[in-house]
Amino acid sequence: MKLARFVLFVCMCSSVLLSVSAEGECDSGDTDENKSAALRLKLAAIASILVAGSMGVSLPFLGRVIPALSPEKDVFFIIKAFAAGVILATALVHILPDAFENLSSSCLNEIPWGKFPFSGFIAMLSAIGTLMVDSFANGYFNRTHFNKALLVKQGEEEHVGHVHMHPHGAQGHAHGSALPSDGENALAGGSDLTRHRVITQVLELGIVVHSVIIGISLGASERPADIRPLVVALSFHQFFEGMGLGGCIVQAKFMSRAVATMALFFSLTTPLGIAVGIGISSVYNENSPTALIIEGIFNSAAAGILIYMALVDLLAADYMSPRLQTQGKLQIWVSLSLLLGAVCMSLLAIWA
């Protein structure tokens, strides 16, 4: 999975780099470019977004030193709902509208881009693909480990049969059949853990796709008026998205090295995208057909992934859990936190 994320990152950067050499059919016509001022803002953006992303993804790990923030506490559910609202608003209010704007631009040929809503179609396929990955990964684990659980259970039954030969065999048999199956318990616990790990890695993939695109777009811009509000908006964006991802990483219980790798990968993606954008800013034309198509396709795919992950894996799993179903007060707090996260992230669309 790590290799897949790295390959995807390289392919995206390569695609964008290829697009900059394409001749732009549409020029922006902006005259408020100031390269020196823009460069200063971009460097500030790299530092600000790096710090915000690092703080956001690290915050859920404070549960190890602050018991109130641990995954077993109610506060964790409330924070996770807020982060899920942020991720859902990011997909529906920020990413998907940008994708529609890219793929319906007048700079693209009427056929086929003007004849079919490719953005919604790609987002739909992306959500379906995420569902399949989610299902196949968990199904593979269950099929692989089910045989191990059966072997454990058969070993227990053979042991019970052995005891049955004892003069007090009836008593031994009764005790043996009353014991819970360790194999079944291990299978259930392992399945939940695997599901959390699949959720975490697919969620990070969706976030990374969007982060690379928006980082390159910001880095390639030479207009300070456009960059200035983006620095603040993207800093908040990365902080809240990092909270959602960090919460999933905590529940997935990865090894320390994997946790550090995933947190570092998330924190560096947008700053690296900005750095790439700075490097290609002299030849990059965000209105060229190739750039519009690449950004539109990747934004659509990222939106589909994040919509599925927010609704199905983050929200539905918690809302339908026995813990929330049996605590009406917690349900209310979680719902308010979800709405607050969605509204706060949506309001950032005014500036970004």
Side-chain angles (χ1 to χ4, degrees):
M1 204 68 175
K2 295 177 185 176
L3 179 60
R5 292 198 299 267
F6 178 75
V7 171
L8 177 63
F9 178 80
V10 173
C11 289
M12 291 173 62
C13 291
S14 300
S15 299
V16 176
L17 287 171
L18 287 174
S19 72
V20 301
S21 61
E23 301 233 349
E25 294 180 5
C26 293
D27 293 327
S28 59
D30 291 315
T31 59
D32 58 344
E33 293 186 356
N34 186 331
K35 293 186 178 181
S36 60
L39 181 59
R40 289 194 296 271
L41 288 172
K42 293 173 193 177
L43 295 177
I46 291 176
S48 175
I49 292 172
L50 179 60
V51 171
S54 301
M55 290 176 58
V57 77
S58 301
L59 186 62
F61 295 99
L62 292 178
R64 297 176 179 177
V65 293
I66 303 177
L69 297 178
S70 66
E72 291 76 24
K73 302 297 183 179
D74 292 344
V75 175
F76 183 84
F77 282 83
I78 297 172
I79 294 175
K80 187 179 175 184
F82 181 88
V86 168
I87 292 172
L88 187 61
T90 297
L92 291 173
V93 180
H94 292 262
I95 305 178
L96 198 56
D98 286 346
F100 274 102
E101 183 179 355
N102 289 333
L103 296 184
S104 61
S105 172
S106 58
C107 297
L108 300 180
N109 293 329
E110 180 68 16
I111 300 176
W113 304 106
K115 299 296 184 180
F116 188 78
F118 281 100
S119 298
F121 181 70
I122 294 170
M124 178 189 69
L125 292 181
S126 177
I128 293 174
T130 306
L131 168 65
M132 292 179 177
V133 170
D134 200 357
S135 175
F136 291 160
N138 284 281
Y140 174 77
F141 173 85
N142 291 333
R143 289 190 299 271
T144 302
H145 292 268
F146 184 68
N147 290 333
K148 295 181 180 179
L150 286 179
L151 290 175
V152 172
K153 192 172 183 180
Q154 288 173 0
E156 292 173 352
E157 291 175 350
E158 289 176 2
H159 178 69
V160 169
H162 228 9
V163 173
H164 189 67
M165 299 301 293
H166 193 273
H168 302 287
Q171 184 179 2
H173 182 75
H175 285 298
S177 60
L179 290 172
S181 171
D182 292 338
E184 290 177 354
N185 290 338
L187 178 62
S191 180
D192 289 340
L193 185 60
T194 299
R195 178 166 178 77
H196 284 306
R197 291 183 174 180
V198 171
I199 289 171
T200 301
Q201 297 195 48
V202 175
L203 176 61
E204 183 171 24
L205 179 63
I207 292 173
V208 163
V209 169
H210 170 60
S211 296
V212 171
I213 291 295
I214 198 167
I216 292 176
S217 298
L218 188 153
S221 177
E222 300 290 3
R223 297 185 293 275
D226 292 344
I227 298 173
R228 195 172 290 108
L230 279 176
V231 175
V232 179
L234 289 180
S235 296
F236 280 102
H237 177 275
Q238 287 297 102
F239 178 80
F240 292 132
E241 267 194 348
M243 285 177 56
L245 179 62
C248 291
I249 294 175
V250 169
Q251 288 186 306
K253 298 180 181 178
F254 285 105
M255 300 295 290
S256 298
R257 181 178 297 179
V259 169
T261 301
M262 296 183 73
L264 186 64
F265 195 84
F266 166 78
S267 302
L268 292 177
T269 301
T270 302
L272 285 176
I274 297 174
V276 172
I278 293 174
I280 64 175
S281 59
S282 60
V283 292
Y284 181 81
N285 180 7
E286 62 183 5
N287 291 311
S288 70
T290 308
L292 288 169
I293 292 171
I294 291 174
E295 289 185 19
I297 290 175
F298 279 115
N299 278 335
S300 299
I305 293 173
L306 296 182
I307 290 170
Y308 172 86
M309 298 301 296
L311 290 176
V312 178
D313 285 332
L314 298 181
L315 293 174
D318 284 348
Y319 266 85
M320 299 305 168
S321 66
R323 186 162 185 173
L324 259 69
Q325 291 292 310
T326 56
Q327 297 187 51
K329 188 176 181 180
L330 181 59
Q331 275 186 320
I332 293 174
W333 280 110
V334 167
S335 298
L336 291 175
S337 181
L338 168 64
L339 291 172
L340 181 63
V343 170
C344 289
M345 194 65 210
S346 298
L347 290 177
L348 288 179
I350 299 174
W351 299 279

